[in-house]
Amino acid sequence: MKTDVFITGGGIGGLTLALKLVSSGIDVVMVEKLTGNQPIYKGELLQPKSMQIFDGLHVYYQVTSNAQIIEVLDLFELSKTLKVKDQSFMDYTVIPGKYNAAYMIHHEKLKTIIFKQAEKYPNFHYYNEATCKAIENNTAIVQQGNEKFQVEAAFFIGAEGRASVTRQAMGIKVDPIKYNHHFITVTFPRPSDLVGGQIFSSYNRFLGLFPLPDNQVRSVYLIPAGDYKKIKEKPIGHFHKLYTDLAPSIDGYVQQLTDWSKIQLMIPIMYHANSYVQGNKVIIGDAAHAVHPMAGEGMNMAIQDADILGELLVDMYKLSSLHPDNLEQFEYVRKERADYLIQLSHLSALAYSFPFQPVSWIRSKTFERIEEDPVLHFKQMLNVSGLGMWKESVRDRFIQGGMMPTRKKNLSVAKKEMKLFSAEDDYPWKWNGLL
Ligand SMILES: Cc1cc2nc3c(=O)[nH]c(=O)nc-3n(C[C@H](O)[C@H](O)[C@H](O)COP(=O)(O)OP(=O)(O)OC[C@H]3O[C@@H](n4cnc5c(N)ncnc54)[C@H](O)[C@@H]3O)c2cc1C
């Protein structure tokens, strides 16, 4: 079999790329080793940049109508006796324009929406329960049940997540960094008035609540690395109490989980491949980078990779400019942005990783200043949104540290808009003549 682009992995990153390519007439073969909806929890928070990308792919309304909008994230810092002692918030609406909110959507639902849109195109060839075993000499070796088949392609994209066969074929190694904590995570019914994100933390505990549609809420609770087995041996009432101690509003809801079967362990790791492109092979999403989930970026980085690579491949085909060297443009745009978000997520994780009173105090003061200082607030939301990247200055750090007073004057809409990525930032080859 022959195709233009061979994609390993039908996760969010691979599907977004496939939709972008097939809707522009490029022939795509995608192999996905699993079948049907997967019961495991994965990324569910869509940042504003992902919403902009889905708008361009004509699935924005399908996504929003199956998602819970999140405009504000409330942060509650609790005392030793678990009373709220400080409260701050992060507000997506400080971002100008249409894409000024995040959305929570079930991971498998999102995959279905993108898949259904892609399968409308006859040039999308999808094989499930089909595993890419190796890529050799411009040919992918695929195993589907007892059958083995080969696919020749002009380009090979690895969108197969952390254990990446394409990355292996490129000879690229990653060096995962582990954390001193894990998470337990589960979805359960929520009170109907829990409509924004909520984070509860004390000096040694952390609970995140992120509302999903259908009156459900996804939760993440931080535990010391290695404690999962010990916790799971306790009666389910112990789990309920861990949650209701911190968030009394979910009393009566979390108890609807009556055993441990749905409660999943999530082990955060961080790595960044030193290169995304080699010849006609490219890695995207978790194949290229793994990020701590604290800032809700993993799935969004995969979507943003898919958008930039997809646009580049579409232009390469349009201009019959198919030399693999052109793929470097993808790495040029994405690597610095990914690096920044990996660091941002890592720092957010560290802020909650150490069970000491002074860390809790510094954290709540820092969040208070981010809330009070309109420039810091905008920078924070812009950076997590994916719509732009505005790094912190020395002055910002002094303000966060309480060594300089917070600014009072808000930024104008025009100034904020200048900080959003332009089409030229996202797709520079359209302007720099490098294709
Ligand atoms: C257990 C877990 C929990 C997570 N929870 C969160 C969270 O709470 N919040 C958050 O922001 N992010 C979370 N993430 C991260 C987020 O889900 C990922 O960053 C995002 O899904 C990456 O998308 P992707 O398309 O790159 O890879 P994936 O979603 O991993 O998709 C890869 C696909 O490739 C398939 N595949 C793999 N190898 C092959 C092969 N050889 N042949 C064919 N198919 C193959 C896999 O079956 C899979 O469907 C989580 C990740 C994991 C693994």
Side-chain angles (χ1 to χ4, degrees), residues 7-15 31-34 38 40-45 107 111 130-133 159-165 185 218 220 264-267 284-287 289-300 302-303:
I7 303 176
T8 306
I12 293 293
L15 286 169
V31 293
E32 167 52 54
K33 69 176 178 186
L34 302 174
Q38 296 306 311
I40 64 163
Y41 298 110
K42 281 189 153 188
E44 291 175 326
L45 184 85
H107 191 84
K111 276 167 63 180
T131 303
C132 175
K133 292 290 191 187
E160 64 276 77
R162 293 177 180 182
S164 165
V165 68
T185 183
R218 167 91 182 267
V220 281
Q264 188 183 298
L265 174 68
M266 192 164 87
I267 302 177
I284 67 169
D286 277 14
H289 35 64
V291 54
H292 190 285
M294 191 61 89
E297 295 293 347
M299 177 170 76
N300 297 283
I303 294 165

